[in-house]
Amino acid sequence: MSTYELCTPLKKEDIIKLVAGDVVYLSGIVYTARDEAHAHILELDDRNEELPFDLEGAAIYHCGPLMLKEEDKWRAIAAGPTTSDRMARMTPKLLEKHTVRALIGKGGMQGIAGTLEDKCVYLAYTGGCAALAAGSIKKVRSVHWPQLGMPEAVWELEVERFGPLVVGIDAHGNDIFEKVRKNALNAFCQLR
């Protein structure tokens, strides 16, 4: 297991060197996106409309943050990860059009390892660390699609040493979550 400090936008060589179990600290720009944001991105893609943000080499954080507006600036109060598996069915289509290099969330994304292979990694962030995550957000640069509501909007966050993030699914097809599921199933079957 190795530890890496990476900066966005991420290049393919940044993620290819990662293996499942490695620890990553991320700096640069991270975009939050949950269910509604993913659906909206795909709708705009279907209509060949341009996005108001650039996903080239991007890191998407499955997060519905709690934000506070002070004067004319937003500040993150809590920014913990949400369950990523909800976005698994939309991810293949997203990655067909955009070179997103990292997905961040909690709980893994079942059946997605093949889609990520040679393109992208899944970085797991521990649930319950919303205040810790907010502390790594140095600036809220922008909010896109606020009409979707605070947790569903796309927040453009400038982060510094965001993490620790564990490589849960690497770009080589290794999936820690799938391995745990198989081991648990095997252990259960042996008990019967």
Side-chain angles (χ1 to χ4, degrees), residues 102-124:
L103 303 169
I104 306 164
K106 71 175 181 181
M109 299 177 79
Q110 205 164 355
I112 207 78
T115 299
L116 300 186
E117 208 161 334
D118 217 30
K119 294 181 195 169
C120 186
V121 294
Y122 177 80
L123 305 173

Side-chain angles (χ1 to χ4, degrees), residues 2-6 14 17-19 22-26 167:
S2 299
T3 300
Y4 294 92
E5 303 256 351
L6 299 177
D14 293 328
K17 66 184 173 189
L18 303 174
V19 295
D22 283 348
V23 174
V24 173
Y25 289 90
L26 199 56
V167 180

Side-chain angles (χ1 to χ4, degrees), residues 51-96:
L51 300 178
F53 45 87
D54 186 7
L55 292 179
E56 178 74 25
I60 292 180
Y61 183 28
H62 300 149
C63 170
L66 176 60
M67 298 291 196
L68 177 66
K69 194 167 193 178
E70 299 173 322
E71 297 173 17
D72 286 340
K73 295 182 181 177
W74 287 99
R75 180 170 62 90
I77 303 299
T82 195
T83 304
S84 296
D85 205 45
R86 297 193 325 260
M87 278 60 77
R89 65 179 175 78
M90 293 180 274
T91 297
K93 196 169 178 185
L94 178 81
L95 294 180
E96 279 177 24

